[in-house]
Amino acid sequence: NIQFFGVESQKKVTESFVVVVGLGGVGSHAASMLLRSGVGRLLLVDFDQVSLSSLNRHAVATREDVGTPKAYCLKKHFSLIYPECQIEARVQLYDSSAEDEILSGQPDFVLDCIDNIDTKVSLLAACVRRGLRVLSAMGAGARADPTRIRVADLRESSNDPLSRAVRYRLKKDHGIEGGIPVVFSMEKPKAKLLPFQGSKEEETPSDYQIVPGFRVRIIPVLGTIPAIFGQVMASYVVTQLAQLDFQTEPIVNLDLDHYRVLHHRLLEHEELIYGSAKQVLVDAEEVMYIVKELWRGRSARDQNMKDTGRKMWRSVNELMLVRWDKSKSAGVSNLILLKFSEADAHESTTLDQIKDEEPEFHAMVSRVLKRAETEFAL
């Protein structure tokens, strides 16, 4: 890690305090890699016990651990890996009454690995209210495709029933519409909840409830997927703690035809405004980079991620690429994505006017276009 981050950045990781709530298939792997990455203080929270079925996805549990609390199981194994880490294990269900106890002490990051909607929403709302950085895991069960796992804002997660329910509840109950990074799969669930089947005739679902109201039906889980979720969460958090800057892949649901339309629209606009398209130095593939990577499929003046999925397909019909600096060619580091009306207004103003009247917007665009210069070695 020191070779990767450098001494000072790794020191930030070592001095960090991270809370992990939910220590099943996702949380155990996340916590394990946070430990192995040198995080100096961990608070591990889960009310549940290791079960025999946990063993297909848990990071460290063995047959001997079956029946023991997950929090104590992790602490036991972690102390053999990195004894210098300050580890607190709590066998506790997170709810609003536990907020002060679990979220006090100014943690540098909170990982939400809970699979119950009520407690998940309560934890996320508390983190937002307290200004704590939080990363949330959405549904990992019933999936099989590791290439479809993404990190994005909660507003951008798609094909995930848990994300949909959490979004609805956060907005309805707490007025929170986004701003929370989540790990989710873009894959549609491959299987449905299985009905309860007791080992004895007289058993009922309630016999298996550790906490009243929690589901006892089974979500089929391919053990590798929650493990990958946990690894992704740990990697995201550790790089954030080390202040390693990187851009997550944007969730832009456009196909090549959309980028060709935008490229053709750019050529037409150049001919109309400048009398020729000779100064267009990009093709459809580079348009894809500009639209997806730089502007995330949205107008440079509207980066709030309100249009996702099919709405994004419709919004592309209102967008076009135009030169930022009219004195320079239409290359990858000089094109911004705007709505038609915004493009008209942009063509009738100057960069000096924008800098004077909208300094924050000017600085943001300059920063984004500078990234293109760096990545294309211009």
Side-chain angles (χ1 to χ4, degrees), residues 84-99:
E84 295 82 6
C85 182
Q86 181 182 341
I87 302 169
E88 183 179 359
R90 291 188 182 177
V91 183
Q92 185 174 7
L93 171 70
Y94 180 87
D95 59 22
S96 56
S97 66
E99 177 183 328

Side-chain angles (χ1 to χ4, degrees), residues 232-266:
V232 169
M233 294 184 84
S235 184
Y236 180 91
V237 169
V238 168
T239 52
Q240 290 285 308
L241 294 173
Q243 298 180 353
L244 177 69
D245 185 38
F246 68 92
Q247 298 288 331
T248 57
E249 182 184 10
I251 308 300
V252 178
N253 297 310
L254 303 177
D255 59 33
L256 188 56
D257 285 342
H258 289 110
Y259 299 115
R260 287 176 179 145
V261 167
L262 289 167
H263 183 244
H264 183 68
R265 203 171 282 164
L266 170 62

Side-chain angles (χ1 to χ4, degrees), residues 272-284:
L272 179 65
I273 300 297
Y274 301 100
S276 168
K278 292 180 179 179
Q279 292 294 306
V280 175
L281 306 181
V282 294
D283 57 20

Side-chain angles (χ1 to χ4, degrees), residues 20-21 33 44 73 93 123 129 132 149 167 169-170 191 206-207 218 229 238 248 273 317 355 357 364:
V20 184
V21 185
M33 282 312 302
L44 308 174
C73 168
L93 171 70
L123 175 61
R129 187 170 60 251
L132 298 175
I149 297 170
R167 270 197 304 270
R169 289 282 303 278
L170 281 172
S206 60
D207 295 331
I218 300 165
F229 267 59
V238 168
T248 57
I273 300 297
N317 293 325
K355 189 173 184 178
E357 297 171 8
M364 182 275 289

Side-chain angles (χ1 to χ4, degrees), residues 9-36:
S9 292
Q10 180 58 30
K11 187 178 178 183
K12 293 183 176 73
V13 176
T14 305
E15 293 174 350
S16 295
F17 169 34
V18 179
V19 177
V20 184
V21 185
L23 304 173
V26 175
S28 65
H29 282 274
S32 178
M33 282 312 302
L34 289 173
L35 177 92
R36 292 177 186 276

Side-chain angles (χ1 to χ4, degrees), residues 215-336:
R215 64 168 172 80
V216 291
R217 287 195 298 166
I218 300 165
I219 297 176
V221 179
L222 181 65
T224 54
I225 300 301
I228 296 169
F229 267 59
Q231 302 286 338
V232 169
M233 294 184 84
S235 184
Y236 180 91
V237 169
V238 168
T239 52
Q240 290 285 308
L241 294 173
Q243 298 180 353
L244 177 69
D245 185 38
F246 68 92
Q247 298 288 331
T248 57
E249 182 184 10
I251 308 300
V252 178
N253 297 310
L254 303 177
D255 59 33
L256 188 56
D257 285 342
H258 289 110
Y259 299 115
R260 287 176 179 145
V261 167
L262 289 167
H263 183 244
H264 183 68
R265 203 171 282 164
L266 170 62
L267 296 175
E268 288 183 333
H269 182 73
E270 285 282 315
E271 289 178 354
L272 179 65
I273 300 297
Y274 301 100
S276 168
K278 292 180 179 179
Q279 292 294 306
V280 175
L281 306 181
V282 294
D283 57 20
E285 185 176 338
E286 287 155 346
V287 165
M288 182 188 299
Y289 165 82
I290 296 165
V291 173
K292 181 177 179 179
E293 297 288 341
L294 298 185
W295 303 113
R296 307 180 81 87
R298 297 171 178 85
S299 165
R301 290 190 170 277
D302 186 18
Q303 292 286 299
N304 63 7
M305 294 178 288
K306 67 181 181 182
D307 291 328
T308 59
R310 292 181 181 177
K311 289 183 180 179
M312 184 174 287
W313 298 349
R314 291 196 293 270
S315 70
V316 78
N317 293 325
E318 306 170 357
L319 296 170
M320 62 186 298
L321 290 165
V322 297
R323 299 186 197 187
W324 171 241
D325 184 342
K326 291 185 280 290
S327 68
K328 297 180 180 179
S329 300
V332 287
S333 61
N334 191 39
L335 285 169
I336 61 171

